[in-house]
């Protein structure tokens, strides 16, 4: 083990850490990464950073490390990215630039932790500084980046043991947990490297603070153990809580809602470019069994606003049994110039109850270059529409709504489109929680479609609602997210229908994440600076030998004065 430590930390640190980090980065930067490779990558960077930024060749070695991570990240996302733009060359250049930016931000975060973290006098503050910094970094990037959370070094494959935290902390909690585990592991590696505890000598890799700053009762080792214990405790609720879909049989407390995704197969309609008539005919096949039908993003194209109105009227006339979410591209007049040279992507909710659409929403976040040059984005946030739901045929209307007329149950619905779901603040303007979110999408690769599906699942958990995701792209994935549903319904084209259960009456109360919004970020920084309470806790009282003395203490007879033996 001694030879291994020397080989890693003394003989060839640059070769080992650069190679090891680039390999882990390849796994951490795939479109849908899990927590483990990201934690291990950050752990390696935190350990290496203690010597990297203090070496005589810090600039050169940092540039080499950043380049290695950038190459690994670009290779990890090369397959789904090469067809993102019209030419492969442009796609590769954009991919490399974006990966270089995120890799540089990651290295910079480690550098800030190395330089500033050592200035905290409390060991607990030093350990929790990087998790707070890491969560803040990607919180800010999600606002600035044109692709939102897709550019973040953050796990997307389910929530794992910490999925229950999504309605409370959102992505901030996810990022904090990942970075906190990386800190715990880096501390363990530092202790292994030095070969002794921080009570005999503070490991050089585990901490950068001088011994004179160890003024807190909570030592470096105890801080690390406490942080690990907190992470384990936070993982416990997932073992106790269940998250299953509700039954779909109508009852006093359950509203069954049938939803469908309209994805006409090209083989059936004998042409690759589907028309408005094709989507109407496909919708008519499911209108008798599904209350809500959703078309994929940009399903049909309208040359003017008048043509859009006529097309929606045709849908309303032909599809009489369902509320249809018609997603479209529309040429519209520029209010500043009066010309009609602009195009936008939107969705309109059409029903028999109103001659005008129940809801109209236009896409707010466009795919860089691929859409941003040809389409116009909207700045209007989504709103909520209330759709009345009548009693099913096998249930009396008085049992459906005992309170009396109009004997309908309200279903609150809103909508958003594809890339919008990569932004956690998408529905921040809504004052209540919707029961269903319609989400048309169109992706160009199954890896991209799966990544966007994971983003939709995260938004559903954060809001405490369900999302109907309908992807009409080649190899696109579709399904229902939230409400206990986690798995895809299908991959590729082919219309489908599914019934879900919604609690009745539906609680429109917002989740903590939805209500607090950006304020959740203050909590992680409170963990860093709120160390005064911890300073007054004598953790020595909780050591195993002291606890044993408390429970195994025996009543000893009084010792005669002058007797030196305690019998």
């Amino acid at each position: 083990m001694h030879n291994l430590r020397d080989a890693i930390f003394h003989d060839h640190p640059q070769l080992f850490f650069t190679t090891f980090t680039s390999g882990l980065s390849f796994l951490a930067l795939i479109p849908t990464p899990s927590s483990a490779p990201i934690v291990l990558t950050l752990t390696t960077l935190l350990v290496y950073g203690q010597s990297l930024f203090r070496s005589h060749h810090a600039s050169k070695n940092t540039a080499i490390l950043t380049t290695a991570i950038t190459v690994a990240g670009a290779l990890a996302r090369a397959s789904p990215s090469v067809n993102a733009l019209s030419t492969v060359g442009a796609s590769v250049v954009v991919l490399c630039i974006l990966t270089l930016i995120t890799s540089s931000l990651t290295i910079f975060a480690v550098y800030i932790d190395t330089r500033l973290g050592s200035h905290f006098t409390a060991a607990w503050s030093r350990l929790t500084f990087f998790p707070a910094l890491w969560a803040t970094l990607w919180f800010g990037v999600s606002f600035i980046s044109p692709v939102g959370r897709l550019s973040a070094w953050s796990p997307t494959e389910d929530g794992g043991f910490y999925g229950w935290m999504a309605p409370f902390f959102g992505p901030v909690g996810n990022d904090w947990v990942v970075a906190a585990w990386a800190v715990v592991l880096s501390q363990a590696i530092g202790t292994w490297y030095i070969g002794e505890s921080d009570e005999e000598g503070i490991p050089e890799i585990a901490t950068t603070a001088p011994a004179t700053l160890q003024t807190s009762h909570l030592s470096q080792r105890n801080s690390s153990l406490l942080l690990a214990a907190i992470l384990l405790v936070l993982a416990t609720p997932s073992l106790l809580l269940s998250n299953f879909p509700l039954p779909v049989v109508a009852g006093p407390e359950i509203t069954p809602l049938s939803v469908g995704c309209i994805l006409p197969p090209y083989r059936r309609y004998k042409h690759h470019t589907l028309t408005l008539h094709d989507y109407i005919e496909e919708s008519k096949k499911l209108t008798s069994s599904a209350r809500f039908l959703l078309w994929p993003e940009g399903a049909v194209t309208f040359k003017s606003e008048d043509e859009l109105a006529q097309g929606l009227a045709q849908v309303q006339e032909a599809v009489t049994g369902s509320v249809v979410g018609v997603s479209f591209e529309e040429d519209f007049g520029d209010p500043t110039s009066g010309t009609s040279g602009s195009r936008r992507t939107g969705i309109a909710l059409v029903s028999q109850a109103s001659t005008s659409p129940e809801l109209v929403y236009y896409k707010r976040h466009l795919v860089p270059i691929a859409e941003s040059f040809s389409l116009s984005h909207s700045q209007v946030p989504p709103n909520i529409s209330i759709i009345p739901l009548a009693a099913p045929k096998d249930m009396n209307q008085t049992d459906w709504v005992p309170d009396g007329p109009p004997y309908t149950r309200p279903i609150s619905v809103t909508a958003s489109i594809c890339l919008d779901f990569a932004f956690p603040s998408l529905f921040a303007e809504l004052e209540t929680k919707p029961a269903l979110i319609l989400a048309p999408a169109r992706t160009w690769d199954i890896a991209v479609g799966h990544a966007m599906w994971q983003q939709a699942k995260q938004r559903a958990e954060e809001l405490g609602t369900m999302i109907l995701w309908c992807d009409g792209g080649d190899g696109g994935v579709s399904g229902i997210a939230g409400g206990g549903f986690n798995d895809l319904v299908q991959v590729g084209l082919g219309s489908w229908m599914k019934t879900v259960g919604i609690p009745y009456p539906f609680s429109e109360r917002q989740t903590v994440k939805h209500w607090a919004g950006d304020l959740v970020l203050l909590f992680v920084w409170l963990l860093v600076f709120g160390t005064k309470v911890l300073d007054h806790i004598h953790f020595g009282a909780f050591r195993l030998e002291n606890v044993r003395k408390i429970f195994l203490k025996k009543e000893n007879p009084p010792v005669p004065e002058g007797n030196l033996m305690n019998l």
Side-chain angles (χ1 to χ4, degrees):
M1 296 297 290
H2 178 72
N3 294 333
L4 178 61
R5 287 199 297 265
D6 289 342
I8 294 175
F9 295 104
H10 295 290
D11 299 338
H12 309 287
Q14 180 186 354
L15 176 62
F16 173 81
F17 283 107
T18 302
T19 304
F20 197 58
T21 303
S22 61
L24 291 173
S25 299
F26 179 83
L27 300 177
L29 295 180
I30 60 176
T32 54
S34 59
S35 299
I38 299 178
V39 170
L40 293 177
T41 303
L42 291 181
T43 300
T44 308
L45 290 175
L46 289 173
V47 172
Y48 185 34
Q50 300 298 329
S51 59
L52 171 65
F53 300 119
R54 291 176 171 82
S55 65
H56 296 294
H57 304 287
S59 299
K60 183 186 73 173
N61 293 341
T62 301
I64 294 174
L65 179 64
T66 304
T67 302
I69 296 176
T70 301
V71 172
L75 290 176
R77 301 185 178 187
S79 178
S81 300
V82 292
N83 296 321
L85 303 178
S86 57
T87 63
V88 175
S91 301
V92 172
V93 170
V94 172
L95 172 64
C96 291
I97 292 175
L98 293 178
T99 308
L100 176 61
I101 292 174
T102 56
S103 301
S104 300
L105 289 174
T106 298
I107 298 298
F108 183 67
V110 176
Y111 173 79
I112 293 297
D113 176 68
T114 303
R115 291 300 187 185
L116 298 185
S118 60
H119 293 283
F120 290 102
T121 58
W124 174 258
S125 296
R126 288 195 298 275
L127 294 186
T128 54
F129 176 69
F130 181 72
L133 179 65
W134 184 254
T136 303
L137 168 65
W138 299 116
F139 176 85
V141 168
S142 66
F143 278 95
I144 300 173
S145 172
V147 293
R149 293 289 301 181
L150 291 178
S151 57
W153 282 37
S154 183
T156 59
E157 282 289 351
D158 299 325
F161 290 109
Y162 302 96
W164 67 271
M165 296 173 57
F168 300 93
F169 301 103
V172 170
N174 205 14
D175 294 334
W176 186 90
V177 166
V178 167
W181 271 119
V183 169
V184 169
L185 293 180
S186 66
Q187 292 294 304
I189 294 175
T191 302
W192 167 76
Y193 165 74
I194 203 66
E196 56 186 331
S197 67
D198 63 352
E199 291 182 346
E200 299 175 2
I202 299 173
E204 183 180 353
I205 290 181
T207 178
T208 58
T212 55
L213 295 181
Q214 305 293 321
T215 59
S216 172
H217 293 301
L218 191 59
S219 65
Q220 189 82 11
R221 182 181 64 180
N222 288 337
S223 297
S224 182
L225 292 175
L226 177 60
L227 183 57
I230 291 175
L231 291 171
L232 292 175
V233 170
L234 290 176
T236 304
S238 63
L239 303 176
L240 305 176
L241 301 176
S242 60
N243 185 25
F244 297 106
L246 290 176
V248 296
V249 178
E253 298 179 351
I254 295 177
T255 300
L257 184 66
S258 54
V259 296
C261 180
I262 303 300
L263 297 171
Y266 302 133
R267 176 182 54 82
R268 179 181 300 166
Y269 293 94
K270 310 300 182 183
H271 46 261
H272 191 78
T273 303
L274 298 172
T275 65
L276 175 64
H277 178 265
D278 298 332
Y279 277 98
I280 290 177
E281 290 301 313
E282 189 74 9
S283 299
K284 290 165 66 174
K285 292 180 172 63
L286 293 182
T287 186
S288 61
S289 55
R291 178 56 175 161
F292 284 88
L293 296 177
L294 178 62
W295 297 5
E297 177 185 3
V300 291
T301 300
F302 298 107
K303 299 299 183 182
S304 66
E305 296 180 58
D306 290 338
E307 187 175 322
L308 168 63
Q310 295 173 9
L312 296 181
Q314 293 181 42
V315 176
Q316 184 181 37
E317 180 180 357
V319 187
T320 58
S322 304
V323 178
V324 185
V326 179
S327 183
F328 56 86
E329 285 190 5
E330 169 204 10
D331 293 335
F332 69 101
D334 188 342
T336 58
S337 62
T339 61
S340 58
S342 300
R343 175 175 290 192
R344 57 189 175 183
T345 301
I347 177 175
L349 201 59
V350 179
S351 74
Q352 297 295 310
S354 174
T355 55
S356 60
E358 300 279 358
L359 179 149
V360 177
Y361 170 81
Y362 291 99
K363 191 174 183 179
R364 291 198 289 174
H365 299 94
L366 304 176
V367 178
I369 302 178
E371 291 181 342
S372 58
F373 288 161
S374 59
L375 298 174
S376 298
H377 70 93
S378 173
Q379 296 181 348
V380 181
N383 61 335
I384 291 180
S385 178
I386 304 298
I387 305 298
L389 190 65
K393 297 179 180 179
D394 59 348
M395 190 173 186
N396 294 328
Q397 61 180 6
T398 53
D399 296 331
W400 181 249
V401 182
D403 296 337
Y407 299 111
T408 58
R409 294 182 179 181
I411 303 295
S412 54
V413 183
T414 188
S416 200
I417 301 175
C418 201
L419 187 60
D420 289 340
F421 286 89
F423 296 82
S425 59
L426 173 62
F427 298 100
E429 291 85 355
L430 296 181
E431 297 181 355
T432 58
K433 178 177 66 177
L436 178 66
I437 300 177
L438 302 179
R442 186 176 295 276
T443 56
W444 62 90
D445 186 272
I446 188 171
V448 179
H450 191 210
M452 284 308 309
W453 160 253
Q454 295 294 340
Q455 292 295 321
K457 286 173 58 178
Q458 291 183 7
R459 302 295 88 79
E461 295 299 329
E462 292 163 10
L463 297 173
T465 185
M466 283 191 289
I467 295 177
L468 173 59
W469 183 263
C470 189
D471 189 343
D474 295 332
V477 299
S478 302
I480 298 173
F485 294 96
N486 293 307
D487 299 326
L488 298 168
V489 171
Q490 72 175 35
V491 177
L493 299 179
S495 301
W496 54 268
M497 187 276 295
K498 190 175 183 64
T499 302
V500 299
I502 296 178
Y504 179 78
F506 179 75
S507 175
E508 296 182 340
R509 180 181 300 175
Q510 297 174 331
T511 61
V512 174
K513 163 62 178 66
H514 191 189
W515 171 78
D518 304 346
L519 295 178
V520 297
L521 196 64
L522 299 178
F523 180 77
V524 299
W525 284 106
L526 182 63
L527 293 176
V528 179
F529 297 105
T531 58
K532 295 300 181 181
V533 175
L534 294 176
D535 287 346
H536 295 285
I537 300 178
H538 294 268
F539 283 84
F542 296 96
R543 292 180 178 176
L544 181 60
E545 58 269 22
N546 293 334
V547 174
R548 185 184 297 119
K549 289 178 182 179
I550 294 175
F551 288 97
L552 300 182
K553 184 177 179 181
K554 296 181 179 180
E555 293 292 337
N556 294 324
V559 179
E561 186 176 352
N563 192 347
L564 299 180
M565 294 186 62
N566 185 5
L567 301 177

